Structures are given as structure tokens and as C-alpha cells.
Amino acid sequence: KAGVTQTPRYLIKTRGQQVTLSCSPISGHRSVSWYQQTPGQGLQFLFEYFSETQRNKGNFPGRFSGRQFSNSRSEMNVSTLELGDSALYLCASSLATGTYGYTFGSGTRLTVV
Amino acid sequence: GDSVTQMEGPVTLSEEAFLTINCTYTATGYPSLFWYVQYPGEGLQLLLKATKADDKGSNKGFEATYRKETTSFHLEKGSVQVSDSAVYFCALSDSGNEKLTFGTGTRLTIIP
């Protein structure tokens, strides 16, 4: 059974550019969440989607957005990149709720220069 | 709001030593509790979970018991191995709130 797949694994972007990260959840999982991991702030929740609808959103500026497609695949977009956006972005999926835990992907390492 | 407080690291132990990593939480509802582990260069792996008070989660020799009276979910292992070296995160998912709130993580190093 394939796990959660995130692409690309590594990305280098220039300040001011925009970036799109992709996440394919485990087959049958309908909930997809995104997290940002940095040494200073730790793991912070970005947003969660279920059946193409955003159910929950964290405290991030509007430059961070996401969407989910009918096949449950999800993308997140960051516009007007800042140096502080450099982080490991993790995607997680679950069947429907987080009650029994989420399965995480290996992450996309974004470096903004 | 929800929060998780985890034992500060790093923690260094000798192989076969007993491990405890403390975790306490604050939540408004009835949360599920988790321990995740992160190996270098990888994402998070679910180590164990407990969904209600007095539940014990266990996996790969690790255990944690959901203690509502002390709002705690301490991770324990009787005999650690070098391969257990990783960063461990305690987390909660509050009822009706589809997100995980994480502790700051505890880096564990096991020396032979």
C-alpha cells in the first residue's frame, strides 16, 4: 500500500517567487492536512481539507493557500516567498478524522534565497 | 487553546537503559493523544496513540498511558536500542478540531 507521496522533495526558490507543493494521500484517505516545520517554531498547522473543502485553517498569512481535488490529492501554494518561509512542509492524510492519527509524507524541503 | 508541553532535550542514554519522555497537555475537549517519531531527513511516523482516558498505546516496545487526571501521556521504553535514536513528538487532536497540536520535540540519542 503506497504511503503519502509529496513532490518535489527539495526546492530552491528566490524571494518574491511563488511555489506549489503537491501531496498524494493514501488511497481511500479523504482528509489531507499540511504542516510547516522549522527549527524555531516547530511543527505548525497550516490547513486541513476534506472532500475538497477546507475544514480548518491555522494562523498563517493569506500568502499560504491550498486546495484539494476530487481524487483527494492536495496542493499548497505560497506566493511572494519570504526568507522565513524556508522550512520542511509536511503533508498528512487520514480516512476522515484525526481521531486515530494521521499518516505523514516525507516532506518537501523548501529553501528561499 | 490546546497546547502540549514536552520534556526538554536532548536526552542521551546508554543502550538498554530505561527511557521516559514526559508529556503533558491542555485541551478544551476530549483529545486523542499521539507520539510521533522523526528520523533524520524523514517525515513523521506514528509511534502509538490513545483515544480515551486510561487507554494504553504501545508499539515496538514503547508505551504511553492516557492519564486524564494528570493530563499526561508520558512515553516509556524498558530497554532502548541505538536504532531508537530520533526526535520524538507528543501531539494531540482535540475532538471536532481536525488538526494536530505538537510539542516541541525531544531529541533522543542512544550510545552503544
Side-chain angles (χ1 to χ4, degrees):
Chain A
K1 187 175 181 181
V4 177
T5 303
Q6 290 188 247
T7 56
R9 284 298 307 274
Y10 303 92
L11 207 49
I12 300 175
K13 288 288 188 178
T14 303
R15 195 170 43 181
Q17 287 186 313
Q18 76 165 15
V19 67
T20 299
L21 311 183
S22 179
C23 172
S24 293
I26 289 174
S27 177
H29 284 194
R30 296 169 64 189
S31 170
V32 174
S33 300
W34 290 88
Y35 292 81
Q36 181 195 65
Q37 185 178 25
T38 60
Q41 299 298 316
L43 282 152
Q44 294 187 288
F45 171 77
L46 281 154
F47 27 67
E48 187 258 350
Y49 289 87
F50 179 79
S51 292
E52 301 179 66
T53 300
Q54 186 181 88
R55 286 198 297 196
N56 206 345
K57 187 177 188 301
N59 296 322
F60 278 81
R63 300 185 297 107
F64 291 82
S65 63
R67 60 178 176 169
Q68 186 181 33
F69 302 95
S70 58
N71 61 359
S72 293
R73 191 177 70 85
S74 177
E75 290 181 345
M76 69 163 280
N77 183 277
V78 188
S79 63
T80 320
L81 284 165
E82 299 177 0
L83 297 179
D85 297 333
S86 295
L88 179 66
Y89 290 89
L90 292 164
C91 168
S93 75
S94 76
L95 279 169
T97 78
T99 303
Y100 297 99
Y102 286 93
T103 302
F104 282 80
S106 297
T108 293
R109 172 75 62 185
L110 172 65
T111 302
V112 182
V113 298
Chain B
D2 298 342
S3 68
V4 176
T5 302
Q6 225 180 297
M7 180 172 144
E8 290 285 334
V11 174
T12 302
L13 295 172
S14 297
E15 202 167 21
E16 299 183 2
F18 184 86
L19 168 71
T20 299
I21 301 178
N22 290 336
C23 171
T24 58
Y25 67 90
T26 302
T28 52
Y30 300 93
S32 295
L33 302 174
F34 309 91
W35 277 99
Y36 281 87
V37 59
Q38 187 174 36
Y39 298 100
E42 297 185 14
L44 302 173
Q45 296 179 22
L46 178 63
L47 182 59
L48 53 84
K49 63 180 183 285
T51 59
K52 61 183 188 298
D54 299 325
D55 268 2
K56 177 186 280 189
S58 60
N59 186 27
K60 300 180 181 179
F62 291 90
E63 292 183 340
T65 301
Y66 189 141
R67 301 285 188 201
K68 190 177 178 188
E69 63 276 13
T70 54
T71 62
S72 65
F73 193 55
H74 305 321
L75 182 68
E76 297 182 336
K77 186 176 185 182
S79 177
V80 293
Q81 306 300 313
V82 172
S83 57
D84 294 327
S85 298
V87 181
Y88 292 79
F89 293 92
C90 184
L92 70 82
S93 175
D94 209 346
S95 51
N97 184 356
E98 298 306 322
K99 72 171 190 177
L100 286 165
T101 299
F102 286 92
T104 53
T106 301
R107 182 174 299 278
L108 174 67
T109 302
I110 307 300
I111 53 176

